[in-house]
Amino acid sequence: MNALSLVSHHLCPFVQRAAIVLGEKGIAFDRINVDLSEKPEWFLKKSPTGKVPLLIASRPDGGEAVLFETTVICEFLEESQEGTPMHPSNAFDRARDRAWAEYISSMYADVWLMLNANDMEVFESKKTIFRAKIRQIEGEVSSGPYFNGKFFSMVDAAMAPLSRFFDCLPADRTSVFFEYAPKIEKWRQTLRSRPSVAAAVGADYAVRFREQLSRQHALILQ
Ligand SMILES: N[C@@H](CCC(=O)N[C@@H](CS)C(=O)NCC(=O)O)C(=O)O
Protein backbone atom coordinates (compact mmCIF):
# COMPACT_ATOMS: atom_id res chain seq x y z
CA MET A 1 0.00 0.00 0.00
CA ASN A 2 1.25 3.49 -0.89
CA ALA A 3 1.18 6.55 1.38
CA LEU A 4 -1.22 8.39 -0.94
CA SER A 5 -4.50 7.20 -2.42
CA LEU A 6 -6.41 8.92 -5.18
CA VAL A 7 -10.13 8.28 -5.09
CA SER A 8 -11.04 8.23 -8.76
CA HIS A 9 -13.43 7.49 -11.56
CA HIS A 10 -12.32 5.94 -14.88
CA LEU A 11 -13.51 8.87 -16.99
CA CYS A 12 -13.07 11.86 -14.69
CA PRO A 13 -10.79 14.52 -16.20
CA PHE A 14 -10.23 16.17 -12.81
CA VAL A 15 -8.88 12.90 -11.43
CA GLN A 16 -6.52 12.80 -14.41
CA ARG A 17 -5.13 16.22 -13.54
CA ALA A 18 -4.24 15.06 -10.02
CA ALA A 19 -2.80 11.80 -11.42
CA ILE A 20 -0.65 13.79 -13.87
CA VAL A 21 0.79 15.90 -11.05
CA LEU A 22 1.48 12.75 -9.01
CA GLY A 23 3.17 11.26 -12.09
CA GLU A 24 5.26 14.37 -12.70
CA LYS A 25 6.48 14.25 -9.11
CA GLY A 26 7.26 10.54 -9.40
CA ILE A 27 4.97 9.62 -6.51
CA ALA A 28 3.56 6.11 -6.31
CA PHE A 29 -0.09 6.09 -5.26
CA ASP A 30 -3.08 3.78 -4.99
CA ARG A 31 -6.03 4.49 -7.20
CA ILE A 32 -9.46 3.63 -5.83
CA ASN A 33 -12.18 3.85 -8.47
CA VAL A 34 -15.72 4.50 -7.30
CA ASP A 35 -19.00 4.03 -9.12
CA LEU A 36 -20.42 7.55 -9.27
CA SER A 37 -23.85 6.25 -10.29
CA GLU A 38 -24.01 4.30 -7.02
CA LYS A 39 -21.72 6.08 -4.60
CA PRO A 40 -20.52 3.84 -1.77
CA GLU A 41 -21.27 4.88 1.81
CA TRP A 42 -17.57 5.19 2.75
CA PHE A 43 -17.06 7.59 -0.16
CA LEU A 44 -20.02 9.80 0.77
CA LYS A 45 -18.64 10.00 4.31
CA LYS A 46 -15.26 11.17 3.05
CA SER A 47 -16.27 13.48 0.19
CA PRO A 48 -18.12 16.64 1.27
CA THR A 49 -19.18 17.32 -2.34
CA GLY A 50 -19.80 13.70 -3.35
CA LYS A 51 -17.26 14.25 -6.13
CA VAL A 52 -13.94 12.75 -7.15
CA PRO A 53 -11.02 13.22 -6.92
CA LEU A 54 -10.14 12.85 -3.26
CA LEU A 55 -6.56 12.53 -2.10
CA ILE A 56 -6.15 10.48 1.05
CA ALA A 57 -2.87 11.01 2.89
CA SER A 58 -1.40 10.46 6.34
CA ARG A 59 -0.66 13.42 8.55
CA PRO A 60 2.66 13.45 10.42
CA ASP A 61 0.77 12.44 13.61
CA GLY A 62 -0.60 9.38 11.80
CA GLY A 63 -4.12 10.78 11.34
CA GLU A 64 -5.85 10.65 7.98
CA ALA A 65 -6.15 13.73 5.77
CA VAL A 66 -8.80 13.74 3.06
CA LEU A 67 -8.31 16.48 0.48
CA PHE A 68 -10.92 17.44 -2.08
CA GLU A 69 -11.06 19.87 -5.04
CA THR A 70 -8.54 19.16 -7.78
CA THR A 71 -6.76 22.49 -7.71
CA VAL A 72 -6.25 22.23 -3.95
CA ILE A 73 -4.96 18.67 -4.31
CA CYS A 74 -2.50 19.75 -7.02
CA GLU A 75 -1.30 22.73 -4.99
CA PHE A 76 -0.87 20.48 -1.94
CA LEU A 77 1.28 18.09 -3.99
CA GLU A 78 3.33 21.00 -5.33
CA GLU A 79 3.95 22.32 -1.81
CA SER A 80 4.49 19.08 0.03
CA GLN A 81 6.25 16.72 -2.36
CA GLU A 82 9.74 16.52 -3.78
CA GLY A 83 10.27 16.64 -7.50
CA THR A 84 10.47 19.25 -10.23
CA PRO A 85 8.34 22.32 -9.43
CA MET A 86 5.32 22.72 -11.66
CA HIS A 87 4.87 26.43 -10.96
CA PRO A 88 7.17 29.23 -12.15
CA SER A 89 9.33 30.78 -9.42
CA ASN A 90 8.21 34.34 -10.18
CA ALA A 91 4.97 35.36 -8.42
CA PHE A 92 3.56 37.14 -11.50
CA ASP A 93 4.19 34.14 -13.73
CA ARG A 94 2.75 31.84 -11.06
CA ALA A 95 -0.39 33.97 -10.84
CA ARG A 96 -0.73 33.91 -14.63
CA ASP A 97 -0.43 30.11 -14.68
CA ARG A 98 -2.98 29.70 -11.90
CA ALA A 99 -5.39 31.93 -13.80
CA TRP A 100 -5.01 29.97 -17.06
CA ALA A 101 -5.26 26.63 -15.29
CA GLU A 102 -8.50 27.92 -13.77
CA TYR A 103 -9.69 29.20 -17.15
CA ILE A 104 -9.17 25.77 -18.70
CA SER A 105 -10.66 24.01 -15.69
CA SER A 106 -13.84 26.05 -16.00
CA MET A 107 -14.28 24.83 -19.60
CA TYR A 108 -14.84 21.18 -18.62
CA ALA A 109 -18.54 21.35 -17.76
CA ASP A 110 -19.44 22.90 -21.13
CA VAL A 111 -17.09 20.63 -23.08
CA TRP A 112 -18.66 17.58 -21.47
CA LEU A 113 -22.15 18.84 -22.37
CA MET A 114 -21.01 19.56 -25.92
CA LEU A 115 -19.43 16.13 -26.45
CA ASN A 116 -22.43 14.32 -24.95
CA ALA A 117 -25.04 16.50 -26.68
CA ASN A 118 -27.72 14.79 -28.73
CA ASP A 119 -29.46 18.09 -29.36
CA MET A 120 -28.08 20.19 -32.22
CA GLU A 121 -28.86 23.51 -30.56
CA VAL A 122 -26.96 22.57 -27.39
CA PHE A 123 -24.09 21.19 -29.44
CA GLU A 124 -23.76 24.27 -31.63
CA SER A 125 -24.00 26.76 -28.77
CA LYS A 126 -21.36 24.93 -26.72
CA LYS A 127 -19.17 24.62 -29.81
CA THR A 128 -19.24 28.38 -30.33
CA ILE A 129 -18.22 28.97 -26.71
CA PHE A 130 -15.49 26.34 -26.93
CA ARG A 131 -13.97 27.70 -30.12
CA ALA A 132 -13.89 31.23 -28.70
CA LYS A 133 -12.08 29.99 -25.58
CA ILE A 134 -9.63 27.97 -27.64
CA ARG A 135 -8.78 31.10 -29.60
CA GLN A 136 -8.15 32.96 -26.33
CA ILE A 137 -5.79 30.23 -25.16
CA GLU A 138 -4.08 30.21 -28.57
CA GLY A 139 -3.11 33.81 -27.89
CA GLU A 140 -1.42 32.81 -24.60
CA VAL A 141 0.29 29.49 -25.28
CA SER A 142 4.03 29.62 -26.06
CA SER A 143 5.39 28.35 -29.35
CA GLY A 144 6.21 25.15 -27.49
CA PRO A 145 6.64 22.56 -26.45
CA TYR A 146 4.55 23.41 -23.35
CA PHE A 147 2.27 26.26 -22.27
CA ASN A 148 5.19 28.21 -20.82
CA GLY A 149 7.85 26.96 -23.20
CA LYS A 150 10.32 24.38 -21.94
CA PHE A 151 8.84 23.27 -18.63
CA PHE A 152 5.71 21.23 -17.95
CA SER A 153 3.42 23.22 -15.65
CA MET A 154 0.07 23.11 -13.90
CA VAL A 155 -1.47 24.63 -17.05
CA ASP A 156 -0.29 21.64 -19.05
CA ALA A 157 -1.75 19.31 -16.43
CA ALA A 158 -5.07 21.19 -16.66
CA MET A 159 -5.16 21.04 -20.46
CA ALA A 160 -4.09 17.43 -21.04
CA PRO A 161 -7.36 15.70 -19.99
CA LEU A 162 -9.41 18.15 -22.07
CA SER A 163 -7.21 17.51 -25.07
CA ARG A 164 -7.53 13.75 -24.55
CA PHE A 165 -11.31 13.87 -25.05
CA PHE A 166 -10.68 14.92 -28.64
CA ASP A 167 -7.86 12.39 -29.12
CA CYS A 168 -10.44 9.63 -28.59
CA LEU A 169 -12.68 10.81 -31.43
CA PRO A 170 -12.30 10.58 -35.21
CA ALA A 171 -10.01 13.39 -36.44
CA ASP A 172 -12.48 14.46 -39.13
CA ARG A 173 -15.01 15.27 -36.39
CA THR A 174 -12.70 17.20 -34.14
CA SER A 175 -10.48 19.35 -36.35
CA VAL A 176 -13.16 22.05 -36.46
CA PHE A 177 -12.70 22.70 -32.73
CA PHE A 178 -9.04 23.61 -33.13
CA GLU A 179 -9.29 25.52 -36.39
CA TYR A 180 -7.12 28.64 -36.33
CA ALA A 181 -5.26 27.27 -33.28
CA PRO A 182 -2.02 25.82 -34.72
CA LYS A 183 -0.04 26.35 -31.50
CA ILE A 184 -2.66 24.44 -29.54
CA GLU A 185 -2.61 21.60 -32.10
CA LYS A 186 1.17 21.33 -31.62
CA TRP A 187 0.78 21.59 -27.84
CA ARG A 188 -1.81 18.79 -27.87
CA GLN A 189 0.63 16.47 -29.67
CA THR A 190 3.30 17.11 -27.06
CA LEU A 191 0.88 16.61 -24.18
CA ARG A 192 -0.36 13.30 -25.53
CA SER A 193 3.13 11.81 -25.56
CA ARG A 194 4.09 12.97 -22.05
CA PRO A 195 4.48 9.82 -19.88
CA SER A 196 2.55 11.30 -16.91
CA VAL A 197 -0.35 12.14 -19.22
CA ALA A 198 -0.39 8.72 -20.87
CA ALA A 199 -0.30 7.01 -17.44
CA ALA A 200 -3.13 9.09 -15.97
CA VAL A 201 -5.85 6.86 -17.44
CA GLY A 202 -6.43 3.14 -17.84
CA ALA A 203 -5.67 1.35 -21.12
CA ASP A 204 -9.41 1.13 -21.83
CA TYR A 205 -10.06 4.86 -21.42
CA ALA A 206 -10.84 5.62 -25.09
CA VAL A 207 -13.24 2.68 -25.35
CA ARG A 208 -15.03 3.67 -22.13
CA PHE A 209 -15.22 7.29 -23.27
CA ARG A 210 -16.74 6.40 -26.65
CA GLU A 211 -19.17 4.01 -24.93
CA GLN A 212 -20.27 6.87 -22.69
CA LEU A 213 -20.95 9.07 -25.74
CA SER A 214 -22.75 6.23 -27.56
CA ARG A 215 -25.08 5.74 -24.59
CA GLN A 216 -25.98 9.43 -24.89
CA HIS A 217 -26.49 9.14 -28.70
CA ALA A 218 -23.97 11.95 -28.94
CA LEU A 219 -24.09 13.91 -32.18
CA ILE A 220 -20.30 14.05 -32.33
CA LEU A 221 -20.23 10.31 -33.09
CA GLN A 222 -22.95 10.39 -35.73
N1 LIG B 1 -14.61 21.09 -8.70
C1 LIG B 1 -14.41 19.67 -8.57
C2 LIG B 1 -15.10 18.98 -9.71
C3 LIG B 1 -14.96 17.46 -9.63
C4 LIG B 1 -16.06 16.76 -10.43
O1 LIG B 1 -16.93 17.39 -11.04
N2 LIG B 1 -16.02 15.42 -10.42
C5 LIG B 1 -17.08 14.66 -11.06
C6 LIG B 1 -16.51 13.55 -11.93
S1 LIG B 1 -15.54 14.17 -13.25
C7 LIG B 1 -17.91 13.96 -10.00
O2 LIG B 1 -17.37 13.43 -9.05
N3 LIG B 1 -19.22 13.94 -10.17
C8 LIG B 1 -20.12 13.25 -9.29
C9 LIG B 1 -21.30 14.06 -8.93
O3 LIG B 1 -21.35 15.27 -9.25
O4 LIG B 1 -22.20 13.50 -8.30
C10 LIG B 1 -12.92 19.37 -8.55
O5 LIG B 1 -12.17 20.07 -9.24
O6 LIG B 1 -12.48 18.45 -7.85
Side-chain angles (χ1 to χ4, degrees):
M1 213 169 128
N2 291 300
L4 295 177
S5 297
L6 188 65
V7 181
S8 307
H9 178 269
H10 299 286
L11 287 180
C12 178
F14 301 102
V15 165
Q16 284 181 52
R17 174 142 57 109
I20 290 168
V21 175
L22 285 158
E24 286 295 323
K25 307 251 171 226
I27 304 163
F29 63 98
D30 292 321
R31 194 188 273 258
I32 306 166
N33 283 311
V34 291
D35 179 354
L36 290 173
S37 63
E38 216 169 313
K39 296 173 186 169
E41 219 28 63
W42 67 263
F43 169 68
L44 289 170
K45 281 200 185 118
K46 286 194 194 296
S47 174
T49 58
K51 294 179 190 226
V52 292
L54 297 177
L55 185 75
I56 305 180
S58 294
R59 292 178 177 281
D61 66 5
E64 184 185 78
V66 180
L67 309 185
F68 65 105
E69 285 299 330
T70 315
T71 303
V72 174
I73 291 171
C74 293
E75 294 288 339
F76 166 79
L77 293 170
E78 176 75 355
E79 283 172 16
S80 65
Q81 306 294 314
E82 308 268 310
T84 313
M86 292 182 67
H87 270 316
S89 54
N90 175 292
F92 286 105
D93 295 340
R94 207 157 52 238
R96 174 178 178 267
D97 272 24
R98 286 190 170 121
W100 283 104
E102 184 54 37
Y103 186 92
I104 293 166
S105 190
S106 72
M107 292 168 71
Y108 277 89
D110 268 347
V111 172
W112 188 251
L113 289 176
M114 175 180 81
L115 295 174
N116 280 275
N118 50 33
D119 175 299
M120 190 55 90
E121 214 175 302
V122 174
F123 179 75
E124 287 298 332
S125 77
K126 301 293 179 200
K127 187 169 99 181
T128 304
I129 297 170
F130 181 78
R131 282 166 45 107
K133 290 190 171 174
I134 284 293
R135 277 197 298 278
Q136 287 270 4
I137 301 169
E138 177 74 8
E140 292 295 323
V141 66
S142 79
S143 47
Y146 298 110
F147 182 78
N148 286 320
K150 285 207 176 75
F151 90 99
F152 188 92
S153 72
M154 289 292 179
V155 189
D156 299 288
M159 181 66 173
L162 190 143
S163 179
R164 191 194 316 269
F165 287 149
F166 297 90
D167 293 346
C168 298
L169 297 170
D172 63 335
R173 300 291 164 86
T174 57
S175 50
V176 65
F177 299 102
F178 300 99
E179 230 175 13
Y180 314 120
K183 283 192 287 173
I184 293 189
E185 277 293 24
K186 225 172 99 197
W187 185 25
R188 291 185 57 222
Q189 280 171 30
T190 320
L191 289 177
R192 156 177 340 130
S193 56
R194 184 88 179 174
S196 67
V197 172
V201 291
D204 57 355
Y205 174 85
V207 173
R208 281 180 186 271
F209 178 65
R210 285 192 296 265
E211 280 172 0
Q212 153 69 27
L213 300 192
S214 294
R215 279 194 298 276
Q216 303 302 316
H217 308 290
L219 288 171
I220 191 108
L221 287 184
Q222 282 159 35

